[in-house]
Amino acid sequence: MIATVISVPQLIVFVVAVVIIAVGGVGLLSARYPVHAALFLVMTLFGVAILFIEEGAEFLAAVQVVVYAGAVVVLFLFVIMLLGVDREEIASFAGDTVRIVLAGVGVVLILAELFIVATGAWATGAHSAAGKLDAGSNIGVLARSVFTTYLLPFELTAALLVIAVVGAVILSGRMNAATGVTEPARGGENLEVER
Amino acid sequence: MPGSWYLVVAALLFGLGTFGVLTRRNVIVMFMSVELMLNAVNLTFVTYARMLNDVGGQIAVFFVLVVAAAEVVVGLGIIVAIFRHRATITVDDISSLKG
């Protein structure tokens, strides 16, 4: 654990970010409508991006906002609106006390373990082959590492994204019962619910 | 700022996500809770990257982001497909594999 001096501006930014994260997270869990949950998710993601900047990961903070708030949450909202499932979830927490109590006990156990790991000095960690973080600008260090040491995983992510796109197209198409071939959905008719 | 503070925040965020996955019944909200857990892990990676002065943690976050994006695309595709067949996204009603 590195010894650090706590400066007041850093502390203020940290506290504000934590408040944003906490309000967003609790709001996500307690929101009655899925759209509200998605908006609370954006709030949490922004708070995490603030913490990324404070920790010197500027590139990841930008990617966090662009990819999560700009792509993932928009996709969530799009699906919620497409399916028209933005109904109030009546029995979201009420009625099933056993499940909530068991989930609470499990979460408390996980939190206890994480707190012990986080506050103890157990994480020693050998240095990887990726290089030092303070060797230059954040984006330069990251780029050098991605395009040299981690070039193969980086190319595999390209393959993964292509597979994901193809999978999404196939999943959202409709299967032709006679031929077994998946056809892309045409406008309008795919919104009808098949029984 | 001490690194352990960030780790504690990440732990709390992970706990919130876990609780959401275990208690909510709306599949889309469960997916959002999974995103919370992924973000908690990302925060841990970035914190350890700073504590150990090693860029490997930030590279890991980069790959987690890509995998999370792919997961969301495929997962929402599955949700759309299930909704077309069953007209519901409540996990209690989706029990075809229960036997």
Side-chain angles (χ1 to χ4, degrees):
Chain A
M1 200 150 301
I2 50 174
T4 42
V5 181
I6 302 174
S7 70
V8 175
Q10 274 187 335
L11 185 67
I12 293 172
V13 171
F14 180 81
V15 170
V16 169
V18 169
V19 168
I20 291 175
I21 291 174
V23 171
V26 174
L28 168 58
L29 289 194
S30 56
R32 288 186 163 274
Y33 296 90
V35 168
H36 295 176
L39 296 177
F40 276 120
L41 179 63
V42 176
M43 192 173 170
T44 308
L45 299 175
F46 269 109
V48 174
I50 295 172
L51 288 187
F52 279 2
I53 290 178
E54 205 180 10
E55 295 207 86
E58 294 92 0
F59 174 70
L60 290 177
V63 170
Q64 168 97 352
V65 172
V66 170
V67 171
Y68 268 119
V72 169
V73 174
V74 169
L75 198 57
F76 272 118
L77 289 173
F78 181 72
V79 168
I80 291 169
M81 295 303 177
L82 175 74
L83 299 183
V85 290
D86 191 29
R87 286 187 292 269
E88 194 171 358
E89 201 181 347
I90 303 296
S92 62
F93 281 115
D96 199 347
T97 328
V98 177
R99 190 203 302 213
I100 292 169
V101 169
L102 284 178
V105 170
V107 168
V108 167
L109 286 177
I110 292 174
L111 280 181
E113 187 193 346
L114 289 178
F115 279 144
I116 292 171
V117 174
T119 54
W122 292 359
T124 53
H127 283 271
S128 71
K132 297 283 186 196
L133 193 57
D134 56 5
S137 73
N138 178 239
I139 190 165
V141 172
L142 268 176
R144 195 167 299 114
S145 196
V146 163
F147 291 118
T148 55
T149 315
Y150 294 96
L151 183 60
L152 183 63
F154 179 66
E155 288 175 349
L156 287 178
T157 58
L160 175 73
L161 287 174
V162 172
I163 293 168
V165 168
V166 172
V169 169
I170 290 175
L171 278 171
S172 56
R174 47 166 35 177
M175 184 87 80
N176 187 326
T179 62
V181 176
T182 304
E183 298 169 344
R186 277 182 289 275
E189 59 180 346
N190 58 327
L191 294 180
E192 296 165 15
V193 175
E194 293 176 31
R195 284 285 187 179
Chain B
M1 301 292 295
S4 56
W5 292 20
Y6 294 93
L7 296 179
V8 168
V9 173
L12 286 172
L13 194 57
F14 192 86
L16 278 175
T18 314
F19 193 73
V21 171
L22 290 175
T23 55
R24 296 301 294 255
R25 286 152 178 179
N26 187 320
V27 180
I28 294 179
V29 179
M30 287 172 76
F31 250 90
M32 292 181 201
S33 303
V34 172
E35 299 299 321
L36 278 193
M37 294 163 77
L38 288 169
N39 264 276
V41 173
N42 284 350
L43 191 54
T44 310
F45 271 129
V46 171
T47 305
Y48 276 126
R50 189 180 58 114
M51 285 166 70
L52 301 173
N53 190 18
D54 191 321
V55 77
Q58 295 196 7
I59 300 285
V61 173
F62 178 72
F63 289 126
V64 168
L65 277 167
V66 175
V67 174
E71 170 239 336
V72 165
V73 168
V74 175
L76 289 177
I78 292 173
I79 289 174
V80 170
I82 288 176
F83 185 80
R84 273 206 217 134
H85 283 280
R86 309 292 296 266
T88 181
I89 55 163
T90 307
V91 282
D92 292 342
D93 300 336
I94 305 168
S95 54
S96 304
L97 293 177
K98 221 172 179 176

